[in-house]
Amino acid sequence: MENGQWAHVAVVKKFTELTMYVNGNKTGSATVPASYYPGPKNVGIGCNPNFSGPEVFQGALAEVMLLREALPEEAVQKLAGVP
């Protein structure tokens, strides 16, 4: 990604698979725990609310969505404007 350029970024967690997409293209995946219980109850967008150090996103965010269900790859691509 370049400074000054908007990018569509999506992170999808489905059970134990975490997948990241940039502009509709899958850029990587990782295996994660299926559940974080009894983990933190708070969420930070652009920061880590559980860390007091200098861990912050420096940029602009628009149209942030948190969804209950994991989107299929086709739906992520449609949101990113991929034909």
Side-chain angles (χ1 to χ4, degrees):
M1 295 190 293
E2 294 182 38
N3 282 333
Q5 298 294 317
W6 282 98
H8 181 273
V9 178
V11 178
V12 177
K13 181 180 182 297
K14 185 172 183 181
F15 303 111
T16 60
E17 183 178 7
L18 187 72
T19 305
M20 182 173 182
Y21 298 86
V22 177
N23 296 324
N25 298 309
K26 182 177 175 180
T27 59
S29 63
T31 301
V32 296
S35 174
Y36 293 104
Y37 180 80
K41 302 282 187 239
N42 50 3
V43 173
I45 298 175
C47 69
N48 182 346
N50 303 307
F51 180 68
S52 62
E55 184 178 272
V56 297
F57 170 74
Q58 295 181 352
L61 300 172
E63 300 182 34
V64 175
M65 296 171 32
L66 299 174
L67 305 174
R68 179 183 168 113
E69 302 293 327
L71 291 177
E73 186 169 348
E74 298 80 22
V76 172
Q77 291 173 338
K78 185 175 180 180
L79 285 172
V82 175

